[in-house]
Amino acid sequence: MKLESLVTKATQYEDMTVAVAAAEDEEVIEAVTMALDNNLGQFILYGDREKILQLLSWKNEKYAKNNKIQIVHANSKVQAAELAVKAVHLNEANVLMKGNVPTATILKAVLNKEFGLRTGKVLSHVAVFEVAGYERYIIVTDAAMNIAPDLEQKAQIIANAVSVAKAIGVEKPKVAPLAAVEVVNPAMPATLDAAALSAMNKRGQIADCIVDGPLALDNAVSMFAAEHKGIESEVAGRADILLVPNIETGNVLYKSLVYFAHAKVGAVIAGAKAPIVLTSRADSAESKLYSLALAVCTASK
């Protein structure tokens, strides 16, 4: 399964609008113009109007006159974040995208009680990887938002990841709560949570997926490793979603896939009223495009 197919899928939703907070940034404009070149959505760009127009013109004069771009002036990054969030809150946009604004600033607006995007759910980072040699997407969560989630938070993180997986065509995703071993060990809290999550799934408390763990990474993604260890499970060797025990594990796994395995990736923040794209300057333009496509596909559900 190729992330490029998500871009194709996202183009089907022509009425999708992305609100970009603080768009006056060369790399943000690069992502927006790539999306436009791929017929992916419409954009409302919030920020310094003059700088945004200048960047669009430098890229190509056609973008400054593109009728799929609306520019709304904001006097500060804080105001740009608030206006973009309000646009999603009022259903004027379907996706929120972070531009050249601190993550803390945009999340403060997202969590605003008056005009934010709260749903009562945990917000979590969901990354969809295309890894060479694998015939399926590998979804990693949570590598960026929740530092040390407890059991209830992990259940909600799974639910968020399942909603994203279903939006990209994985109808009943298999979820592997990761640990260092495959057996429950009271000295290793990750194994206790994994076992509890598996039981919650069997009792219908976590729906629309199959959860089984604890599983080490090799047994979650490799049939050979799972069979070699004699693990019989619907998830072992077939996992679609890898639930990491903490943010350090997720961060290392995410970056290992990108830098060592040269995997392609798109990611969103799920659990809010609408998907949120938090791009980083370290992300490639291709990754930003995949993230936008993933967000549009998720918003369509």
Side-chain angles (χ1 to χ4, degrees):
M1 300 177 79
K2 302 292 185 182
L3 285 173
E4 190 62 42
S5 68
L6 288 187
V7 178
T8 303
K9 183 179 175 69
T11 61
Q12 300 172 14
Y13 310 111
E14 296 179 0
D15 58 342
M16 288 290 170
T17 300
V18 181
V20 185
E24 61 273 25
D25 178 85
E26 190 173 343
E27 295 180 4
V28 172
I29 294 300
E30 175 72 18
V32 169
T33 55
M34 280 185 69
L36 290 171
D37 288 343
N38 283 274
N39 297 312
L40 200 164
Q42 305 173 72
F43 291 84
I44 308 175
L45 307 182
Y46 296 89
D48 187 309
R49 181 181 181 84
E50 186 175 333
K51 288 182 180 178
I52 292 171
L53 277 170
Q54 188 177 56
L55 287 168
L56 287 169
S57 297
W58 281 348
K59 185 70 182 170
N60 193 309
E61 193 63 38
K62 68 178 182 179
Y63 297 120
K65 301 174 181 178
N66 194 306
N67 60 10
K68 289 188 176 182
I69 292 179
Q70 177 186 350
I71 302 172
V72 177
H73 182 74
N75 293 316
S76 67
K77 295 184 188 302
V78 170
Q79 186 184 39
E82 291 179 352
L83 289 172
V85 169
K86 285 178 181 177
V88 179
H89 177 82
L90 296 171
N91 297 316
E92 295 169 359
N94 312 94
V95 172
L96 175 66
M97 179 178 177
K98 171 185 173 291
N100 186 17
V101 59
T103 298
T105 299
I106 197 164
L107 288 180
K108 182 179 180 180
V110 167
L111 297 175
N112 183 283
K113 291 181 180 180
E114 181 184 350
F115 59 78
L117 307 179
R118 290 168 175 252
T119 62
K121 298 178 183 177
V122 167
L123 300 186
S124 58
H125 187 266
V126 183
V128 180
F129 286 91
E130 176 190 322
V131 184
Y134 282 83
E135 75 287 351
R136 63 185 183 278
Y137 294 127
I138 298 293
I139 301 172
V140 175
T141 191
D142 175 350
M145 286 291 289
N146 296 281
I147 296 172
D150 60 23
L151 180 64
E152 181 55 35
Q153 289 171 324
K154 286 179 179 178
Q156 291 187 48
I157 289 169
I158 289 175
N160 287 346
V162 167
S163 68
V164 173
K166 290 172 72 68
I168 60 175
V170 186
E171 286 305 317
K172 192 157 189 179
K174 299 175 177 64
V175 183
L178 296 182
V181 294
E182 303 77 39
V183 294
V184 176
N185 183 338
M188 302 175 73
T191 67
L192 299 176
D193 282 355
L197 292 166
S198 301
M200 291 169 72
N201 175 243
K202 289 181 174 63
R203 287 168 173 73
Q205 292 171 265
I206 302 174
D208 300 321
C209 61
I210 303 170
V211 183
D212 190 37
L215 287 172
L217 177 63
D218 55 346
N219 304 313
V221 300
S222 167
M223 286 297 298
F224 174 80
E227 290 171 358
H228 184 70
K229 289 199 173 182
I231 299 172
E232 294 184 9
S233 162
E234 289 184 84
V235 175
R238 306 178 182 89
D240 300 297
I241 298 172
L242 303 178
L243 173 72
V244 299
N246 51 48
I247 198 169
E248 291 88 357
T249 305
N251 187 274
V252 171
L253 178 55
Y254 182 107
K255 290 175 180 175
S256 294
L257 286 169
V258 170
Y259 287 98
F260 294 148
H262 305 292
K264 297 179 179 181
V265 62
V268 296
I269 301 297
K273 179 182 177 181
I276 304 168
V277 178
L278 293 183
T279 58
S280 164
R281 287 183 175 273
D283 292 337
S284 67
E286 181 183 56
S287 178
K288 290 173 184 174
L289 176 64
Y290 293 149
S291 295
L292 278 167
L294 178 62
V296 168
C297 290
T298 303
S300 71
K301 297 300 180 182

